[in-house]
Amino acid sequence: MFKNHLNIAWRTIKKDKLFTFIKIGGFAVGIAACLLIALFIRNEVSYDQHYAKKNQIYRVVFQGEIQGEVMKSTHFQLPFADALQSDFPEIIKAGKVNTIEIFGAGKRGFRLTGKKENTFEENFILADQEAFDILEIQLEQGDPATALTEPKSIVISKSKAEKYFPNGNVLEQTIFLDNDTSTPYTVTGVMEDVPESSHLDFDFLLPIEDTNQSWTNQNYFTYVLVNPNTNIQELEQKMTLIVEKYIIPAQIKRGRSASFIDVLRTAEYKLQPVTDIYLKSDLKMQDGLKHGDVKFVWLFAAIAIFVLLLAIINFINLSTAKSANRAKEVGLRKTIGAFRNNLVNQFLTESVVFSVISFVLGVVLAWVLLPTFNEIASKNMELPWSAWWFAPMLLVSALLVGVLAGLYPAFYLSAFRPANVLKGKLSVGSKSGRLRSGLVVFQFTTSVILIIGTLIIYRQMDFIVSKELGYDKERVVVLEGTNILGNKIESFKEQLASLSQVKSVTSTNYLPINGGSRNGNTFNVDGQDDGGRGIPAQIWRVDYDYMETLGIRLEKGRGFSKEFAYDSINSIVINSKMASELGLQDPIGKKLDNSGQVFEIIGVIENFHFKSLKEDISSLSLVIGEDVGAVSVKLEKGDPTEALASIEQVWNRNVPNQALNYSFLEQEFAQMHEDVQRMGKIFNSFALFAILVACLGLFALSAFMVEQRRKEISIRRVLGAPFKNIYKLLTLDFLKLIIISICIAIPIGWYLMNRWLEGFAYRINIGWEIFLTAGLIALGIAIVTISYQSIGAALLKPTKGLRTE
């Protein structure tokens, strides 16, 4: 019997190739989309799952309220970790990690002993031995107990060891960083490459050699390993004792006011599971690490479910649409004694066969599209062919989806009454009209929501790219790794400035892009009991040409000038946001206290964006200081090719043994929002999948309608009905369904996208034109889809439609 069912299923597949193609193709597209989304979600939730003691590892987060605003930070004082480990028995180990470039993390010049050429390497971080142990860094060579205990030691990844020491002799080799031949570093370990699914990305580990035990400087991530079964909430409450025991005495010693101390007492510490760092970190933390967005994970999961539902709906509609072609078969089989359960089994078998074929094609389609998807998503995902669960999961899913998708068509088709069928009466099909109409409304409501989302995401991305930033990012070339120049930096700048293609030059790594140096501090108005109004702010070390090179505009006062000797000692320029937060109406001449150092405000600059547009502009100050991590060159208008060639010549004269590494500030700004743009592209791709599947569903319903009304259409043609009347008759009902879908989708789309836009401090306004455009696109898609069947039916020869009568 089963073999007979398979033979009939195969004949059905071959009999109507167009419908077979659409039915299987729609399923395959839905399965491929679901599979790709599942791979993406699996990759996102896999971050930091590789730790053996992942349920015991936490990152410490500071949380406090300043001026009614909740502030969060992941940077702590150097002695903070030691205090945690000594004062709280629940904490087995507490370790420190530093990724801030001013301490030697980030990007460095790299050279082997005995070599003349320097290379440019990234992904340096600083850590102590405790952090090394907590983060379970695995060594292939070296002693894990002492890898970072000695000064000037370095641990390198396996891939970098193979690159620089192909003979395998790595331990005790010496290297130089930033062309500083007076300070060799000794390789003490070779570690396994850090998994791609780690929130920390590094190839080189350096020991922390900072000796500043101040409780007022905050520069280090702190990770803790807690005892199993520790009550985390109780531990968090106990950790607030750190404030009373260490931080408040240090601030009182600095002369902080009583009101400022009261603000400190509102501070608390939270322990963030290491598995939450990538997906569930608050933007306010500003940790500079790579992050995903759990909201996108849920969004893509919802899209995957909807795409699969749309594919199943298509299968149901396509099966019932061809019911007339199977009606006589059902009637004859019932007449000669077939039971209904035999027919149900027959149609379920066909459904499962379709499903299995669709799954095979869907997996192949996903495999073909995966390289493109990896490129869009900036991932390196693979189909888990070798996983023991992959093939059984696909098989079970194919069987389950086949049965579920085939239940309604099986029971619907098997319910035909032989007498009615053989007389040509198929009015039973009309009883399901409401269900099918409801399915189409569901499909196109989903599609219109996705169209609205696509339009809003595109407009938000365009808004980000074109928004006025408060500085001029165009024609600014950033030369990286310039700390390798050492004491040649000033001469190098002068040589660049003398080029005819160069407008101005500045030397600092404090730039308004990701990867630029950052230095957070607390400022108070000097000598003023400001009611605890000390505010956190960035303090950037820049040179005299910084503001001119980046086109930063003054609002009040003046900028830095070499004509004023004290500018290099105690002058400070602040942005208007900082002046506002300090409550200074007339800030020029006022003095600010920063960790005991007093600065005089000489100028106020316009606010400019130095972080992602997801975040609001925060307080920022500029002081004259030495920072040679990067040199930025403002070019004159024109083709930059000649200017870049001249810059490279100057570089080669000064550093003949290292290639020039540069980027354009405009490109670096775009990369700051690369994650959002990437998610937008992924969303748009799967929105197209869903819309394609929905169109197939609409095609299915129009085909069903034409199948049911073929005789009516033929009679109308015989009686002289013109083409336009027939076309209107066949399309009007569908357009009503699409309009209903649009009306339902608009409020849902507005709500969902408004919630998404809440993640941006600077965002577009959702105007009515977006919904109008989405509605017109949906209507256009629907009309094109319906027209194929409607025009074909309207042009059908009446004799063909009436032939069986």
Side-chain angles (χ1 to χ4, degrees):
M1 182 62 72
F2 179 69
K3 183 178 179 181
N4 181 57
H5 290 339
L6 289 178
N7 288 333
I8 295 174
W10 181 246
R11 284 201 300 269
T12 303
I13 290 173
K14 293 191 298 181
K15 185 177 179 180
D16 197 329
K17 294 182 176 58
L18 175 62
F19 267 74
T20 298
F21 172 78
I22 294 174
K23 186 185 287 189
I24 292 178
F27 241 143
V29 169
I31 291 162
C34 287
L35 194 54
L36 291 174
I37 293 174
L39 286 175
F40 176 80
I41 293 174
R42 179 170 175 257
N43 179 272
E44 289 289 281
V45 300
S46 70
Y47 270 77
D48 299 306
Q49 299 291 333
H50 59 279
Y51 297 108
K53 298 180 179 178
K54 61 186 178 185
N55 296 324
Q56 297 173 246
I57 303 173
Y58 294 83
R59 183 176 68 167
V60 185
V61 177
F62 169 86
Q63 183 172 302
E65 187 173 314
I66 300 177
Q67 300 181 28
E69 182 180 359
V70 176
M71 306 296 295
K72 294 184 179 182
S73 174
T74 53
H75 293 99
F76 294 92
Q77 305 86 353
L78 182 68
F80 179 76
D82 296 333
L84 289 178
Q85 189 166 332
S86 63
D87 290 7
F88 303 102
E90 299 93 335
I91 295 176
I92 301 172
K93 286 185 179 180
K96 302 177 288 292
V97 171
N98 187 289
T99 59
I100 303 174
E101 294 195 13
I102 58 175
F103 285 89
K107 307 171 184 178
R108 311 284 300 267
F110 186 92
R111 179 155 68 92
L112 303 181
T113 303
K115 300 287 185 179
K116 293 182 178 180
E117 297 81 13
N118 290 280
T119 56
F120 186 73
E121 288 289 354
E122 302 183 84
N123 299 330
F124 285 82
I125 70 168
L126 281 62
D128 60 10
Q129 186 64 41
E130 287 74 17
F132 185 93
D133 298 335
I134 293 169
L135 297 175
E136 300 175 3
I137 296 171
Q138 303 296 317
L139 287 188
E140 291 199 349
Q141 299 182 42
D143 184 356
T146 60
L148 289 178
T149 55
E150 295 297 325
K152 306 305 176 191
S153 58
I154 185 170
V155 176
I156 67 177
S157 65
K158 179 182 177 181
S159 58
K160 295 300 180 182
E162 292 173 349
K163 174 181 177 180
Y164 290 107
F165 305 100
N167 59 7
N169 185 19
V170 184
L171 295 182
E172 302 303 318
Q173 296 282 352
T174 56
I175 61 173
F176 301 111
L177 300 180
D178 303 325
N179 212 27
D180 182 5
T181 56
S182 65
T183 309
Y185 285 78
T186 303
V187 179
T188 56
V190 176
M191 61 183 172
E192 293 182 2
D193 288 347
V194 176
E196 288 186 8
S197 57
S198 171
H199 72 281
L200 281 173
D201 187 14
F202 57 93
D203 287 302
F204 303 93
L205 265 176
L206 299 171
I208 294 173
E209 300 182 31
D210 186 8
T211 58
N212 185 354
Q213 295 295 317
S214 169
W215 279 92
T216 59
N217 294 332
Q218 303 169 355
N219 297 298
Y220 298 92
F221 297 140
T222 299
Y223 294 86
V224 296
L225 179 69
V226 303
N227 282 308
N229 303 318
T230 296
N231 188 314
I232 297 302
Q233 290 184 340
E234 290 183 2
L235 178 57
E236 290 173 338
Q237 292 174 359
K238 291 170 63 176
M239 285 169 57
T240 57
L241 295 174
I242 293 284
V243 177
E244 292 286 347
K245 186 174 180 180
Y246 300 104
I247 298 178
I248 287 179
Q251 296 293 355
I252 291 175
K253 187 176 180 180
R254 282 185 54 195
R256 292 295 194 185
S257 66
S259 51
F260 179 81
I261 300 303
D262 289 339
V263 171
L264 277 180
R265 290 196 169 97
T266 67
E268 55 185 355
Y269 298 105
K270 298 294 182 182
L271 293 177
Q272 182 184 28
V274 70
T275 52
D276 287 354
I277 294 175
Y278 175 76
L279 270 184
K280 300 179 182 179
S281 288
D282 194 316
L283 284 173
K284 293 180 179 179
M285 295 179 187
Q286 300 179 25
D287 57 13
L289 304 177
K290 60 181 178 181
H291 291 290
D293 190 335
V294 70
K295 290 185 293 185
F296 270 113
V297 171
W298 288 112
L299 176 63
F300 291 144
I303 291 176
I305 293 171
F306 279 122
V307 170
L308 188 58
L309 283 175
L310 296 181
I312 292 173
I313 290 169
N314 285 352
F315 184 89
I316 293 171
N317 279 342
L318 283 164
S319 296
T320 55
K322 300 301 289 181
S323 60
N325 293 348
R326 308 295 300 275
K328 288 187 178 180
E329 174 193 342
V330 172
L332 287 172
R333 293 182 67 177
K334 280 191 172 185
T335 300
I336 61 176
F339 294 105
R340 187 178 184 186
N341 65 318
N342 297 128
L343 296 172
V344 169
N345 290 335
Q346 167 66 48
F347 292 123
L348 284 178
T349 300
E350 291 182 15
S351 176
V352 169
V353 169
F354 274 101
S355 179
V356 170
I357 296 173
S358 298
F359 262 83
V360 171
L361 292 178
V363 172
V364 172
L365 183 60
W367 176 68
V368 170
L369 294 175
L370 189 56
T372 303
F373 182 56
N374 276 331
E375 186 176 348
I376 294 173
S378 190
K379 299 283 187 181
N380 190 27
M381 299 177 293
E382 297 179 349
L383 287 171
W385 300 110
S386 59
W388 66 268
W389 49 266
F390 185 60
M393 181 200 70
L394 291 177
L395 179 60
V396 171
S397 299
L399 295 175
L400 182 62
V401 171
V403 170
L404 291 176
L407 281 176
Y408 173 74
F411 283 96
Y412 168 72
L413 293 173
S414 64
F416 287 159
R417 295 179 180 179
N420 290 338
V421 168
L422 296 176
K423 291 177 182 179
K425 296 179 180 180
L426 290 176
S427 59
V428 66
S430 63
K431 295 179 181 178
S432 303
R434 290 184 180 178
L435 173 62
R436 272 183 291 276
S437 297
L439 293 178
V440 168
V441 169
F442 172 79
Q443 286 184 311
F444 259 80
T445 297
T446 303
S447 298
V448 175
I449 291 171
L450 293 173
I451 292 170
I452 291 170
T454 300
L455 293 174
I456 290 176
I457 289 173
Y458 174 80
R459 286 191 58 179
Q460 177 66 15
M461 292 303 98
D462 184 64
F463 172 78
I464 287 174
V465 172
S466 59
K467 187 182 185 302
E468 174 62 40
L469 301 174
Y471 68 91
D472 186 4
K473 65 181 185 295
E474 297 182 359
R475 303 190 313 281
V476 177
V477 182
V478 180
L479 312 182
E480 300 173 333
T482 52
N483 45 10
I484 202 170
L485 288 159
N487 57 13
K488 296 181 180 178
I489 189 69
E490 288 301 323
S491 172
F492 178 70
K493 287 169 56 180
E494 292 173 2
Q495 293 174 54
L496 290 178
S498 67
L499 297 175
S500 60
Q501 307 97 329
V502 171
K503 189 174 182 179
S504 62
V505 183
T506 185
S507 170
T508 182
N509 199 44
Y510 288 93
L511 296 168
I513 53 175
N514 282 344
S517 295
R518 298 291 183 264
N519 188 12
N521 281 249
T522 302
F523 287 82
N524 290 80
V525 179
D526 187 46
Q528 177 179 317
D529 186 356
D530 53 10
R533 289 180 62 85
I535 65 164
Q538 287 286 313
I539 179 169
W540 290 9
R541 298 196 302 271
V542 301
D543 62 14
Y544 294 95
D545 301 306
Y546 183 80
M547 292 170 58
E548 178 188 357
T549 303
L550 295 188
I552 298 171
R553 297 180 289 272
L554 271 171
E555 279 191 358
K556 299 177 182 178
R558 63 176 180 84
F560 299 112
S561 173
K562 293 180 180 179
E563 296 179 3
F564 301 93
Y566 58 83
D567 275 5
S568 63
I569 302 172
N570 63 355
S571 292
I572 190 169
V573 173
I574 65 174
N575 67 354
S576 60
K577 174 78 170 184
M578 185 171 176
S580 175
E581 292 196 340
L582 287 167
L584 298 176
Q585 299 294 326
D586 186 15
I588 305 302
K590 297 293 191 303
K591 290 183 168 54
L592 300 180
D593 181 291
N594 168 234
S595 300
Q597 185 174 5
V598 177
F599 293 97
E600 179 181 339
I601 301 174
I602 63 170
V604 178
I605 55 176
E606 291 182 6
N607 291 329
F608 67 90
H609 293 275
F610 57 91
K611 296 180 291 187
S612 164
L613 291 181
K614 283 186 174 182
E615 305 170 59
D616 199 357
I617 293 175
S618 57
S619 295
L620 171 74
S621 63
L622 307 177
V623 297
I624 294 295
E626 183 178 351
D627 184 273
V628 296
V631 169
S632 299
V633 184
K634 178 73 171 181
L635 303 180
E636 297 284 1
K637 293 182 179 180
D639 186 358
T641 306
E642 184 180 346
L644 290 172
S646 299
I647 290 171
E648 188 166 14
Q649 290 177 3
V650 174
W651 173 265
N652 290 335
R653 286 200 302 268
N654 288 271
V655 193
N657 298 319
Q658 178 167 323
L660 174 66
N661 290 278
Y662 68 89
S663 61
F664 283 90
L665 191 63
E666 195 168 13
Q667 295 172 343
E668 295 289 337
F669 171 79
Q671 289 182 4
M672 287 178 67
H673 303 91
E674 189 177 16
D675 59 334
V676 180
Q677 292 177 324
R678 184 166 57 247
M679 291 300 176
K681 289 178 181 178
I682 297 173
F683 179 90
N684 294 344
S685 300
F686 289 119
L688 289 175
F689 271 115
I691 293 167
L692 173 61
V693 174
C695 288
L696 290 174
L698 191 60
F699 181 89
L701 190 59
S702 61
F704 174 83
M705 180 269 300
V706 169
E707 192 80 39
Q708 294 294 304
R709 305 182 72 173
R710 188 177 295 273
K711 182 170 68 173
E712 175 193 347
I713 294 168
S714 297
I715 293 173
R716 287 177 179 270
R717 290 293 309 279
V718 169
L719 296 175
F723 169 82
K724 65 178 182 178
N725 288 358
I726 300 294
Y727 180 80
K728 181 179 178 181
L729 174 72
L730 296 176
T731 58
L732 190 59
D733 288 341
F734 289 111
L735 294 183
K736 290 177 182 177
L737 296 179
I738 303 306
I739 292 172
I740 292 172
S741 300
I742 293 170
C743 293
I744 296 173
I746 286 175
I748 298 174
W750 176 87
Y751 173 77
L752 293 176
M753 296 314 298
N754 196 56
R755 289 292 304 273
W756 178 73
L757 287 171
E758 287 175 359
F760 294 86
Y762 301 91
R763 45 174 285 186
I764 62 170
N765 293 317
I766 303 178
W768 60 268
E769 71 280 359
I770 290 177
F771 303 111
L772 177 62
T773 304
L776 291 175
I777 291 173
L779 281 173
I781 291 173
I783 290 171
V784 170
T785 305
I786 297 166
S787 293
Y788 176 83
Q789 290 289 338
S790 299
I791 293 174
L795 296 177
L796 183 71
K797 293 181 179 179
T799 54
K800 190 173 183 180
L802 298 171
R803 183 176 297 167
T804 58
E805 295 302 310

